[in-house]
Amino acid sequence: MAKVGKEVLKRLTAPELREIVREELTTALQPLTIKIEEMDKRIQNQISELDRRLTAKIDEVDKRLTAKIDDVDKRLTAKIDEADKRMTAKIDEMDKRIMSEISMLRAELQYAPRVAVLEAKLSKTE
């Protein structure tokens, strides 16, 4: 029987031998191909699950950080408003004092010529 198999193989041409080898390899590799496809599906499912979980965690962190940023923004805005009111009050107070000083200086300047005349008369009398 082995002799018959060798005789048949000798009669086959190279393209026929390649086709037989290709068919045998395809048949032998078919279970591996199926396993690889199954593994690929499992890996894709795991990747999808990880992506879903990570997206959910990212969304959660984003919401928490947004809330914290809003809180800090409100506190800082309140502090800025408070400082602005204090500074405005101080500026108004300084403005009133400056205006009062300017008024007094104007009054003094208005009477300066009269004072000079009086001082001159006083020095003559002495």
Side-chain angles (χ1 to χ4, degrees), residues 26-124:
T26 302
T27 304
L29 292 176
Q30 192 172 10
L32 290 175
T33 304
I34 292 170
K35 285 191 183 234
I36 289 172
E37 289 172 354
E38 289 172 358
M39 288 176 65
D40 184 52
K41 286 178 185 177
R42 276 189 296 194
I43 290 170
Q44 290 301 324
N45 288 338
Q46 289 174 348
I47 289 171
S48 295
E49 178 62 20
L50 286 173
D51 182 56
R52 186 190 63 73
R53 281 194 270 160
L54 288 174
T55 300
K57 285 184 180 185
I58 289 169
D59 290 344
E60 179 185 326
V61 169
D62 183 52
K63 286 177 186 176
R64 277 191 284 146
L65 288 176
T66 300
K68 284 183 181 182
I69 290 170
D70 289 345
D71 182 52
V72 169
D73 183 52
K74 286 177 186 175
R75 284 189 285 138
L76 289 177
T77 300
K79 286 182 179 183
I80 290 170
D81 289 345
E82 181 183 320
D84 182 54
K85 287 177 185 176
R86 279 197 322 261
M87 291 296 157
T88 300
K90 285 183 181 182
I91 290 170
D92 288 346
E93 180 185 328
M94 290 175 75
D95 188 46
K96 287 177 187 175
R97 281 194 283 166
I98 290 171
M99 292 307 288
S100 173
E101 289 291 325
I102 290 172
S103 235
M104 286 177 26
L105 289 172
R106 281 186 180 152
E108 286 180 22
L109 284 174
Q110 182 181 9
Y111 295 111
R114 290 185 191 163
V115 170
V117 170
L118 289 175
E119 283 178 349
K121 285 183 181 179
L122 182 62
S123 64
K124 282 183 189 178

